[in-house]
Amino acid sequence: MNTDIERVIVGKDEIDKMVERIGKEITRDYKDKELVIIGILKGGFIFMADLVRKIDVNCKIDFMSVSSYGASTKSTGAVKIIKDVDIDVNGKNVLLVEDIIDTGLTLTYIRDLMEGRGAQSVKIVSAFDKPSRRKVELKADYEGIQVPDEFIVGYGLDFNNFYRNFPEVGVLRPEKYIKK
Ligand code: IMP
Ligand code: MG
């Protein structure tokens, strides 16, 4: 697998520091509150697991799965719920944990959905961000690491469902981006 990665863009140390920093920010902001942390599957699972252990706040954990890229490296813009949360978010402080914000469509949809369900507050945290690619105005409340407009894999991010377990973030060798 590692030989498929052409170039590492974000290394382990930088990721660890980002998780540590954001964990502190969230701990400070929700000190005496209760939080429902919702990880967006599948890509968010590794960041979620790292981040929640840096958050010293009473929280419930849930997951939601929505469709995104499929086997293509371009966003379709279509958002479909594949797995919904079990927890009732009505009156709750919700934090959405995502791997990367690209066009912003996915998180805009989920944020609006949670607000529609009566959440008291909805905030967004994303490990990575490609601000140059937005189709809708959306800013993370807790900002991870900005990455260039390149298709990246690792730390939860996939290509065709592979490479999520690569511990850092990198770009694949061009021939690997061909759909099999
Ligand atoms: P958005 O709705 O366009 O913001 O898309 C967000 C989703 O697209 C993320 O949850 C990722 O699954 C996927 N995505 C965006 N950019 C990349 C990338 O560079 N590599 C892998 N997945 C990506
Ligand atoms: Mg995804």
Side-chain angles (χ1 to χ4, degrees), residues 40-44 66-69 98-100 106 156-158 164:
I40 312 301
L41 297 172
K42 301 171 196 166
V66 296
S67 69
S68 58
Y69 275 65
E98 176 65 300
D99 52 359
I100 188 165
T106 307
L157 291 157
D158 72 303
R164 294 193 196 277

Side-chain angles (χ1 to χ4, degrees), residues 68-69 75 98-106 130 150-152 157-158:
S68 58
Y69 275 65
S75 179
E98 176 65 300
D99 52 359
I100 188 165
I101 310 178
D102 186 35
T103 63
L105 291 166
T106 307
K130 287 180 189 169
E150 285 185 273
F151 199 84
I152 53 175
L157 291 157
D158 72 303

